[in-house]
Amino acid sequence: MKNALYLAWRSLAWHRGRSVTILLSLAITIWLPITVRMVLDQFRREISERANATPLVLGARGSRIDLVLHALYFDSLPPAETTMAEMEPVNELSAASAPAVAIPLHVRYRTQSRPGIEGFVIVGTSPEYLEFRNLHIASGRMAGLLGECVVGANVAQRMQLRPGDSLLSAPRNAFNLASDYPLKMSVVGILSAAHSPDDDAVFTDIRTTWVIDGIGHGHQNLNPQTDSELLLKSDAESGSVTANAAVLPYTEITPANIDSFHFHGEPSTFPLTAIIVVPETDKARAQIMGRYLSSNATTQCLKPPEVIDELLSIVFRIEQLAWICSVAAGLVTSLLLGLVVNLSMRLRATEMQTMFRLGCSRLTIAMLHGAEILLLLLGATTLASAAALFTLHFAARVLRSMLF
Amino acid sequence: MILIQHLTFSYGDGTFRLRIPELTFESGRSTVIVGPSGSGKTTLLNLIAGILPGAGGEVNVGEFKVHGLDENARRLFRLRNVGQVFQDFQLIDYLNVLDNVLLPCRIHPSVSVTKQLRERGRSLLQSVEMSAFEHRSVTQLSQGERQRVAICRALLLSPRIVLADEPTGNLDPVNAERIVELLLSETERSGATLIMVTHDHSLLKYFDRVIPFEQFLERRGVDKASGGAS
């Protein structure tokens, strides 16, 4: 067999154009179903793990899948926003008989992109989120003050960030001068890698995202003695002043101006994009679910595993389709390979005749052909496996972005 | 000694019929067979080598009764006892010069490519002044160089018989003489019996014995056989 393999190897190396073509055809045929299976398995495992680790998600009524994917992956926007008021029922139930933690999420903004680096999502939340997702600080400290943030491991790596650096939020509409201004946030901590979407996020206090939203802002103190060019109206009797557009809000929260930051409006109306609810008991879970069962409620309470199962059933259909395509491609490749081998045997009839005349057995000649096919299959399998692993490394994220 | 007795052979359409009442080849001697195309020279070599099964009569090569061997035994007999040089060289393009010489080892069921056999291959190449081309592709060689490689391949396993089927057919007269001298010297050195087929009468003088071959051929029922050759 050693000699047959040697001769087969020499033959393949000599006919390298033909060999490479067959090798690549076989590799792609093997790679496709393996990769589809591996990528979907990984995707299924990863998405199920995160869904199973998230007990309940509250948010505005609308697409169930969009809301759950938003709460889990921050990728898609929920159908509509909800408000801080929706935290109250959970807190009330928790105080009464259903112990649970409500974690607000406000995810509408991204950081400014840099050449070659897309902006990362800014997640406004409470400190409980990091505890709930078991996220730890690798360097620096937790964000405590308005305008501070901690960044996921991938964000830090890609943007070369260290504690003490700063990040700018991206304006949602660069052409609308009346829109929100970019906020310069200071990075105070870097999170350890969690190998989850949290690695690609910037976490800040939820109030900071409201500042980006324009609900809260800071500017210099105004009083009747302020430069009149900054005032639209001044009532000397009441002491009230109205600023004009010349007063610009601060775009960075510093120890010097932090006290000037304030929020306008009723806190219960401040926007949230979703709320993660972590009931401590099954009873608490049932009570919270029951609270949102009413069909005319404007808020829905979802169990992520159930919603993700719905999504996976769609993925399973895609997998079946991919399998059918793979089988068809495999069949075509096998037929073409058969044709190539057949034609190759005809072309090499003189060579085989020489071998036979020298005393080579028909079995050995068959072994030579077999060894060539074996080497091609081994090469194709190795190539396909390497390509599958390489694809797997990148595909989960790509697939997620394609699906969501 | 090779002893052929009452050998008959015909191809399917019946237009060609070889009949050899008796023919002998002495061990260690060189014989050249001449005759027109289609007179059965190559067929005789194929019958001696066991490539073709005899239809009747006997082909005895030393202790081997080739006519009575089955295909597998004839193949082993050929591999172990016969070295063949073909008119069109029949080298394997994808192997380099040394690997072509070593080819009989690679297809041999019980011989592997040892260091000694490699050295033997190299020594044969040296004897035909081809050692500098050891790693070159055979497609880059001239006709004469290719034939020299083919001769080294035929001699690698020190066969008892060397069958050369028009080995000079594609060569100019100078190269043809060089190839014949090489075949004769190499077979003489190893003590092998050389049987060569040729059309070229200028080469007959180099051989111990000359056999005109058309005497053994019957065409369309016309019997031209006149008994044993000497």
Side-chain angles (χ1 to χ4, degrees):
Chain A
M1 192 63 191
K2 188 179 159 192
N3 285 325
L5 284 172
Y6 178 79
L7 292 173
W9 167 246
R10 298 301 310 163
S11 169
L12 291 175
W14 178 258
H15 302 103
R16 61 177 69 88
R18 186 199 68 185
S19 305
V20 168
T21 307
I22 296 174
L23 188 76
L24 288 178
S25 307
L26 282 173
I28 291 168
T29 309
I30 297 169
W31 168 81
L32 187 63
I34 289 180
T35 306
V36 167
R37 170 56 64 90
M38 286 171 75
V39 166
L40 290 181
D41 277 354
Q42 188 197 37
F43 172 72
R44 201 177 282 132
R45 194 169 51 246
E46 186 186 293
I47 199 171
S48 297
E49 269 174 22
R50 198 160 169 88
N52 291 334
T54 311
L56 297 173
V57 169
L58 278 179
R61 278 200 177 269
S63 166
R64 293 153 51 84
I65 290 176
D66 279 354
L67 177 60
V68 167
L69 291 181
H70 172 77
L72 297 185
Y73 293 99
F74 321 127
D75 274 340
S76 56
L77 275 176
E81 287 187 342
T82 186
T83 61
M84 279 293 283
E86 289 306 329
M87 299 272 286
E88 282 311 307
V90 179
N91 291 335
E92 282 167 15
L93 279 168
S94 180
S97 58
V101 177
I103 303 169
L105 291 176
H106 186 232
V107 190
R108 292 183 62 201
Y109 300 96
R110 302 185 82 88
T111 62
Q112 286 192 6
S113 53
R114 292 180 185 175
I117 307 171
E118 219 177 302
F120 292 95
V121 70
I122 298 170
V123 179
T125 185
S126 62
E128 284 84 4
Y129 182 85
L130 301 186
E131 194 182 329
F132 165 64
R133 291 287 187 213
N134 210 18
L135 300 173
H136 301 287
I137 297 286
S139 63
R141 62 173 173 80
M142 296 286 283
L145 297 172
L146 201 64
E148 290 181 343
C149 66
V150 292
V151 299
N154 286 351
V155 180
Q157 192 211 338
R158 299 231 31 221
M159 297 188 81
Q160 301 286 305
L161 292 173
R162 283 181 299 185
D165 292 339
S166 58
L167 269 176
L168 276 171
S169 67
R172 274 180 302 168
N173 186 347
F175 302 103
N176 182 1
L177 296 178
S179 180
D180 42 271
Y181 287 88
L183 181 71
K184 189 173 182 182
M185 295 177 289
S186 46
V187 178
V188 295
I190 310 291
L191 293 172
S192 302
H195 307 291
S196 72
D198 298 320
D199 290 342
D200 297 310
V202 173
F203 294 95
T204 186
D205 185 87
I206 195 155
R207 293 172 306 151
T208 304
T209 55
W210 289 333
V211 170
I212 301 172
D213 221 5
I215 296 168
H217 60 216
H219 51 71
Q220 67 183 94
N221 279 329
L222 299 175
N223 55 49
Q225 282 74 46
T226 303
D227 183 355
S228 60
E229 287 187 359
L230 301 176
L231 298 179
L232 188 68
K233 192 170 72 178
S234 175
D235 187 343
E237 280 184 22
S238 64
S240 71
V241 290
T242 305
N244 66 21
V247 177
L248 291 175
Y250 293 122
T251 54
E252 183 180 4
I253 303 168
T254 63
N257 68 17
I258 191 168
D259 290 337
S260 75
F261 274 81
H262 53 276
F263 294 86
H264 294 270
E266 177 60 39
S268 64
T269 63
F270 290 173
L272 297 177
T273 50
I275 302 164
I276 292 174
V277 181
V278 189
E280 289 179 15
T281 62
D282 288 343
K283 183 184 167 193
R285 176 197 293 257
Q287 281 182 289
I288 293 165
M289 289 289 293
R291 166 74 176 72
Y292 293 96
L293 276 181
S294 165
S295 60
N296 49 15
T298 55
T299 303
Q300 58 183 336
C301 182
L302 303 171
K303 289 180 183 171
E306 286 178 2
V307 178
I308 290 300
D309 280 347
E310 290 172 25
L311 178 70
L312 288 180
S313 68
I314 299 169
V315 174
F316 181 68
R317 267 176 263 160
I318 295 171
E319 187 182 10
Q320 281 181 319
L321 188 66
W323 265 104
I324 292 166
C325 292
S326 300
V327 169
L331 193 65
V332 170
T333 307
S334 304
L335 289 171
L336 285 176
L337 182 65
L339 181 68
V340 169
V341 169
N342 187 275
L343 291 174
S344 164
M345 283 171 79
R346 286 190 191 189
L347 282 172
R348 295 171 64 187
T350 311
E351 174 197 329
M352 295 304 143
Q353 183 66 19
T354 303
M355 297 244 189
F356 175 72
R357 293 179 73 171
L358 289 175
C360 185
S361 67
R362 293 188 198 282
L363 177 66
T364 306
I365 289 172
M367 274 172 68
L368 287 178
H369 286 298
E372 282 191 25
I373 294 170
L374 181 70
L375 284 178
L376 284 170
L377 281 171
L378 277 175
T381 308
T382 308
L383 194 63
S385 304
L389 290 175
F390 181 77
T391 314
L392 194 62
H393 189 69
F394 295 103
R397 185 179 300 179
V398 174
L399 186 67
R400 204 189 302 141
S401 66
M402 279 165 60
L403 285 171
F404 309 157
Chain B
M1 187 174 74
I2 301 169
L3 173 62
I4 295 169
Q5 287 183 307
H6 311 300
L7 181 70
T8 56
F9 184 84
S10 62
Y11 288 109
D13 59 4
T15 57
F16 173 96
R17 187 157 184 258
L18 187 67
R19 195 163 70 88
I20 303 175
E22 187 169 314
L23 186 59
T24 57
F25 298 90
E26 293 294 327
S27 293
R29 297 191 66 194
S30 60
T31 305
V32 64
I33 299 173
V34 286
S37 295
S39 60
K41 306 183 295 294
T42 300
T43 303
L44 175 66
L45 295 190
N46 286 342
L47 286 165
I48 293 172
I51 293 170
L52 292 172
E58 294 182 4
V59 178
N60 298 294
V61 179
E63 69 275 24
F64 294 99
K65 297 182 184 308
V66 180
H67 57 276
L69 300 176
D70 63 18
E71 186 187 316
N72 194 45
R74 289 202 311 275
R75 181 183 62 74
L76 286 173
F77 156 77
R78 184 160 70 245
L79 198 55
R80 288 169 181 158
N81 299 283
V82 182
Q84 297 176 86
V85 184
F86 307 104
Q87 179 181 358
D88 50 357
F89 327 125
Q90 298 196 11
L91 299 178
I92 307 296
D93 285 350
Y94 58 79
L95 297 177
N96 63 26
V97 168
L98 182 60
D99 277 336
N100 261 289
V101 173
L102 294 173
L103 184 62
C105 312
R106 299 222 180 259
I107 59 174
H108 202 292
S110 55
V111 174
S112 49
V113 182
T114 59
K115 194 177 171 187
Q116 287 79 4
L117 274 169
R118 277 185 190 280
E119 285 311 311
R120 165 129 178 97
R122 289 195 174 102
S123 145
L124 284 166
L125 285 172
Q126 196 172 15
S127 69
V128 298
E129 298 170 7
M130 287 289 292
S131 49
F133 302 96
E134 184 182 315
H135 297 295
R136 189 171 289 186
S137 164
V138 291
T139 57
Q140 297 173 328
L141 302 180
S142 69
Q143 301 277 315
E145 289 166 341
R146 286 166 73 88
Q147 195 58 296
R148 278 188 269 167
V149 176
I151 289 168
C152 293
R153 181 178 69 185
L155 296 171
L156 179 77
L157 296 178
S158 305
R160 295 160 70 177
I161 309 161
V162 175
L163 303 176
D165 189 1
E166 300 191 36
T168 59
N170 289 325
L171 304 179
D172 58 76
V174 176
N175 268 314
E177 287 195 6
R178 285 184 64 187
I179 289 295
V180 168
E181 283 170 4
L182 180 65
L183 264 174
L184 287 165
S185 64
E186 289 299 321
T187 48
E188 191 178 352
R189 191 185 304 171
S190 63
T193 304
L194 171 65
I195 304 173
M196 188 176 112
V197 162
T198 186
H199 283 116
D200 189 349
H201 286 258
S202 67
L203 300 174
L204 305 187
K205 62 190 177 205
Y206 294 100
F207 290 83
D208 297 333
R209 183 180 171 209
V210 178
I211 301 175
F213 206 66
E214 62 254 57
Q215 60 185 308
F216 300 118
L217 179 65
E218 291 176 9
R219 279 188 196 273
R220 298 185 190 89
V222 180
D223 189 351
K224 290 185 179 176
S226 60
S230 59

